[in-house]
């Protein structure tokens, strides 16, 4: 197996492992991974549109709409009209959504710690630096 193929396989499997651990640990009871990603994305952000959310998730706005609608319905996010242009609708996290994220952070950190617990601090720092380098060069 060539190195790039092996790298892709390892990254895919780690992502799957993380998603599975988060799901089985009940970190996000009653929420999908996509819903939580939207909440995390909206946390501490202003003037975010549906298109911005869709771009962040690498999906079409029409695919993001049902997920956003569910989060609006549950009171975790809200739609807000732009003061300058009534045609523009912003999506914002509500205090209820922020409270959910704060409550779940401990569970998430515990789960991530379990996955990466075999790495020492130096290895974690190296891994973070490598992943940030890849991320920053591709934005």
């Amino acid at each position: 197996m060539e190195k790039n193929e092996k790298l892709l396989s390892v990254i895919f499997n780690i992502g799957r492992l993380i998603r599975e651990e988060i799901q089985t640990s009940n970190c996000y009871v009653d929420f999908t991974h996509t819903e939580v990603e939207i909440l995390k994305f909206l946390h501490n952000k202003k003037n975010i549109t549906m298109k911005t959310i869709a771009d962040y998730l690498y999906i079409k706005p029409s695919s993001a709409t049902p997920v956003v609608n569910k989060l609006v319905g549950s009171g975790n996010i809200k739609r807000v009209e732009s003061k300058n242009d009534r045609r523009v609708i912003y999506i914002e996290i509500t205090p209820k959504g922020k409270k959910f994220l704060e409550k779940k952070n401990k569970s998430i950190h515990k789960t991530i710690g379990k996955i990466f617990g075999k790495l020492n601090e130096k290895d974690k720092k190296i891994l973070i630096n490598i992943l940030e380098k890849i991320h920053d060069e591709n934005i």
Side-chain angles (χ1 to χ4, degrees):
M1 184 181 300
E2 88 173 59
K3 287 182 184 176
N4 286 339
E5 190 175 323
K6 177 71 174 172
L7 183 60
L8 181 61
S9 178
V10 168
I11 290 170
F12 177 81
N13 286 325
I14 289 172
R16 184 178 45 78
L17 173 67
I18 291 169
R19 285 188 301 278
E20 286 175 359
E21 285 293 325
I22 287 173
Q23 283 299 111
T24 58
S25 68
N26 291 323
C27 289
Y28 305 145
V29 176
D30 298 328
F31 287 84
T32 66
H33 181 72
T34 303
E35 291 165 352
V36 175
E37 282 301 315
I38 290 172
L39 290 173
K40 290 189 322 189
F41 180 67
L42 292 173
H43 195 260
N44 299 320
K45 294 195 184 295
K46 300 263 188 227
N47 300 330
I48 301 298
T49 63
M50 183 70 76
K51 179 166 178 5
T52 307
I53 292 170
D55 289 347
Y56 172 74
L57 297 171
Y58 296 100
I59 60 176
K60 295 178 183 178
S62 60
S63 297
T65 299
V67 182
V68 167
N69 286 345
K70 183 178 175 193
L71 288 168
V72 169
S74 66
N76 288 287
I77 64 174
K78 64 183 177 180
R79 290 183 171 92
V80 179
E81 285 185 9
S82 168
K83 294 175 183 172
N84 301 327
D85 186 346
R86 295 180 72 170
R87 295 171 296 175
V88 176
I89 305 293
Y90 296 119
I91 312 296
E92 295 179 0
I93 191 167
T94 63
K96 180 180 179 181
K98 287 182 180 182
K99 185 176 180 181
F100 166 79
L101 285 178
E102 290 167 7
K103 181 179 176 185
K104 295 303 174 183
N105 264 346
K106 289 182 183 177
S107 298
I108 294 165
H109 287 284
K110 183 177 179 183
T111 299
I112 296 300
K114 177 181 170 186
I115 293 169
F116 294 101
K118 292 184 171 93
L119 298 178
N120 62 38
E121 291 304 310
K122 182 180 177 184
D123 288 343
K124 287 178 188 176
K125 186 175 181 178
I126 290 169
L127 178 60
I128 290 167
N129 287 338
I130 291 169
L131 294 174
E132 284 178 340
K133 182 177 181 181
I134 293 168
H135 179 265
D136 293 347
E137 289 179 5
N138 289 290
I139 291 183

